[in-house]
Amino acid sequence: MWHPQYEPQAPNLSVSRVTAPSFNGSTPWEDYIVQFELISELNGWDERTRALQLAASLRGPAQAVLADLDASKRRRFESLTDALEQRFGRANQTELFRTLLRNRTRQQGESIPELAHDIQRLLSRAYPNASIEMKETLSKEFFIDAISDRDIRWKIYQSRPKTLEEAVSIAAELEAFTLSEQRKDTQKRAVVRVVSEKTEGQENKCGAIDDISKTLATAMTEGFSELTKRYRNCS
């Protein structure tokens, strides 16, 4: 692997030291090593210090690479970066990212733009040599397939978007409409429930009044019968 050569310079004490971020293999190795090289130059590290700083920044699966190297190679920057590139470089991980891309589905709480962004990230690592047109087509198709709502997914297909951006826009509009309709349905059910409860309460009141009326009528009838009997006895 080619690395830009530069003469290490004494660090400027007026500039704060910059700590290299950790690397565990989950982020693109190519992106990480570019940033690490810049931090190394900024701090004025020599070759051995660069190797030790890189080794100290490794975590998880990336840290395991150290165990596969002998003691001398762990302290040689070129040997260490070559080993990491073989393990985490794009050329050796395309199949892994293609599998992740095929199995990618929208997660709970994940927004549509976030899903689209992650699809693009995975695609760039799964198909690093694809043309711009091919990446546009693939990202659109993988994005639609990742939508979990079957109705929304089918409507996006029916709209025949030409780009990922169009697919994202359609998906966002459909989701907003679906959520709006769900809120309306919830409000309607709430109104129906309130009306039903009021109606039931009124029916209960009317039933109670009917019971009272029947009781009074019965009492009056019985009282009238008793008076009639007494009148006859007196006669």
Side-chain angles (χ1 to χ4, degrees):
M1 176 180 177
W2 178 85
H3 300 287
Q5 299 296 321
Y6 66 91
E7 292 295 331
Q9 301 176 358
N12 187 348
L13 297 179
S14 63
V15 178
S16 299
R17 289 297 185 95
V18 179
T19 302
S22 60
F23 177 75
N24 61 7
S26 62
T27 56
W29 162 251
E30 290 78 6
D31 296 344
Y32 176 81
I33 192 59
V34 168
Q35 183 183 32
F36 183 90
E37 293 274 10
L38 293 173
I39 292 174
S40 173
E41 184 175 353
L42 180 64
N43 289 330
W45 293 336
D46 58 22
E47 194 73 9
R48 186 171 185 276
T49 303
R50 295 167 76 196
L52 294 175
Q53 288 286 350
L54 178 58
S57 71
L58 302 180
R59 301 287 185 275
Q63 186 178 4
V65 172
L66 294 173
D68 297 330
L69 300 174
D70 58 43
S72 61
K73 289 185 177 180
R74 293 172 193 164
R75 291 165 174 78
R76 288 168 52 191
F77 185 71
E78 185 174 357
S79 298
L80 184 53
T81 53
D82 285 346
L84 289 166
E85 184 175 12
Q86 289 178 8
R87 175 66 177 82
F88 299 103
R90 287 177 181 169
N92 300 301
Q93 288 199 307
T94 54
E95 286 302 321
L96 169 63
F97 285 102
R98 287 177 185 180
T99 300
L100 292 174
L101 195 56
R102 286 193 295 268
N103 296 327
R104 183 66 164 89
T105 57
R106 187 182 182 187
Q107 304 300 311
Q108 185 175 4
E110 183 178 31
S111 69
I112 287 177
E114 288 173 342
L115 173 62
H117 176 74
D118 195 53
I119 290 292
Q120 289 179 309
R121 180 186 67 83
L122 291 173
L123 188 73
S124 66
R125 302 186 70 178
Y127 299 93
N129 299 320
S131 65
I132 296 177
E133 293 78 10
M134 179 60 70
K135 286 183 178 180
E136 185 67 54
T137 299
L138 290 174
S139 63
K140 177 194 65 178
E141 293 179 353
F142 281 119
F143 168 77
I144 297 174
D145 289 341
I147 298 293
S148 54
D149 190 302
R150 183 170 57 183
D151 291 335
I152 292 180
R153 188 168 63 248
W154 173 240
K155 289 176 182 177
I156 297 173
Y157 272 120
Q158 287 181 314
S159 300
R160 300 183 183 280
K162 296 180 180 180
T163 64
L164 174 63
E165 184 178 359
E166 289 183 9
V168 170
S169 178
I170 294 170
E173 290 179 3
L174 288 171
E175 184 174 66
F177 175 78
T178 300
L179 292 175
S180 176
E181 290 300 303
Q182 289 175 349
R183 283 194 295 269
K184 289 179 181 178
D185 290 341
T186 301
Q187 291 172 352
K188 288 179 181 178
R189 286 194 294 269
V191 170
V192 170
R193 184 173 64 253
V194 171
V195 172
S196 177
E197 290 174 352
K198 288 184 177 180
T199 302
E200 183 178 351
Q202 291 175 349
E203 290 177 350
N204 291 336
K205 289 181 180 179
C206 292
I209 293 173
D210 288 342
D211 291 340
I212 293 172
S213 298
K214 290 178 181 179
T215 301
L216 290 173
T218 301
M220 292 176 65
T221 301
E222 291 177 351
F224 182 76
S225 298
E226 183 64 25
L227 289 173
T228 301
K229 289 180 181 179
R230 290 181 181 180
Y231 176 77
R232 288 176 179 174
N233 291 334
C234 291
S235 301

